[in-house]
């Protein structure tokens, strides 16, 4: 058959038809720097992917530059993942963090997927999920089944202000039994506390003002 009669440095030949070789500037190997370009003939990173992604989320994954797929048959929890490695002793590598998508349920034909972020603790042999973003937009920290836009299992701390707009009975703060909200004025003491039984405590006194700042 026919094929290449000349070659260009860096272009990677591939089988073009049954017996011919071809090449494209969309697949390029920079042998001087040991970097690979996909969609570009001038890569600047170890793996440099260049494509027209688009500007909005839409059907079929917004025309992604890279697609990570799970070949497992449809079931709850399946989905693509990526892991990040780093040296933990000398040059020895180990997994340090991961990002994974999870099919939200086991219903065939249901398109709902969650996204999870995992980190590696010193005492763990693998990564453990720490943040979950569900298909309906809830964020869970310390839980993989968040029921609210922000659902935190554990103690939270805010160094800045925590605002609520247009609070009503249907969207007010909710505290579990025997839990409380603390109002801090410095690192060593608190200026107030609100208990789940609706009682209040303000050791330094309570000031109510109509000022906006």
């Amino acid at each position: 058959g026919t094929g290449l009669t000349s070659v260009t440095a860096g272009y990677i030949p591939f089988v073009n038809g049954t017996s011919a070789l071809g090449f494209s500037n969309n697949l390029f190997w920079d042998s001087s720097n040991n970097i690979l370009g996909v969609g570009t003939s001038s890569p600047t990173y170890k793996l440099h992917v260049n494509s027209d992604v688009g500007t909005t989320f839409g059907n079929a994954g917004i025309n992604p530059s890279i697609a990570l797929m799970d070949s497992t048959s449809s079931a709850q929890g399946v989905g693509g993942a990526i892991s990040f490695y780093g040296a933990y002793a000398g040059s020895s590598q180990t997994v340090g963090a991961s990002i994974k998508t999870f099919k939200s349920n086991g219903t065939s034909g249901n398109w709902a997927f969650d996204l999870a972020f995992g980190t590696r603790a010193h005492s763990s042999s693998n990564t453990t999920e720490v943040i979950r973003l569900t298909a309906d937009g809830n964020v869970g920290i310390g839980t993989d089944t968040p029921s609210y836009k922000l659902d935190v299992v554990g103690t939270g701390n805010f160094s800045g202000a925590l605002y609520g707009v247009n609070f009503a009975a249907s969207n007010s703060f909710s505290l579990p039994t025997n839990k409380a909200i603390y109002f801090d004025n410095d690192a060593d003491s608190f200026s107030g506390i609100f208990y789940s039984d609706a009682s209040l405590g303000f050791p330094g006194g309570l000031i109510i003002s109509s000022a906006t700042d």
Side-chain angles (χ1 to χ4, degrees):
T2 59
L4 293 175
T5 57
S6 64
V7 294
T8 301
Y11 287 10
I12 301 174
F14 58 87
V15 174
N16 182 18
T18 57
S19 59
L21 290 177
F23 66 84
S24 168
N25 58 6
N26 286 316
L27 189 60
F28 186 90
W29 175 251
D30 181 344
S31 58
S32 298
N33 299 296
N34 293 327
I35 54 180
L36 177 65
V38 178
T40 176
S41 58
S42 55
T44 54
Y45 309 100
K46 286 297 182 182
L47 175 60
H48 188 155
V49 180
N50 182 48
S51 67
D52 182 9
V53 176
T55 58
T56 60
F57 281 95
N59 189 32
I62 66 166
N63 190 28
S65 296
I66 298 176
L68 303 175
M69 299 185 181
D70 185 350
S71 60
T72 308
S73 298
S74 175
Q76 184 173 5
V78 303
I82 184 171
S83 291
F84 302 90
Y85 281 70
Y88 70 98
S91 59
S92 299
Q93 298 279 322
T94 189
V95 61
S98 57
I99 302 174
K100 176 175 168 54
T101 185
F102 290 85
K103 190 177 188 307
S104 304
N105 55 68
T107 304
S108 179
N110 188 297
W111 292 20
F113 279 83
D114 299 351
L115 185 66
F117 299 83
T119 56
R120 170 85 175 273
H122 172 63
S123 59
S124 176
S125 61
N126 212 324
T127 56
T128 301
E129 180 178 335
V130 292
I131 298 177
R132 172 72 66 108
L133 174 61
T134 65
D136 54 3
N138 290 339
V139 177
I141 301 177
T143 175
D144 59 5
T145 55
S147 301
Y148 308 95
K149 288 303 179 184
L150 177 60
D151 198 339
V152 179
V153 175
T155 301
N157 178 60
F158 295 85
S159 60
L162 177 61
Y163 292 94
V165 179
N166 298 327
F167 278 112
S170 61
N171 60 5
S172 58
F173 282 113
S174 177
L175 289 176
T177 303
N178 298 323
K179 301 299 181 181
I181 295 177
Y182 292 87
F183 301 89
D184 262 327
N185 57 11
D186 58 49
D188 300 318
S189 63
F190 66 91
S191 57
I193 183 170
F194 177 77
Y195 296 98
S196 57
D197 63 1
S199 62
L200 292 167
F202 292 90
L206 174 62
I207 298 174
I208 299 176
S209 173
S210 60
T212 58
D213 47 48

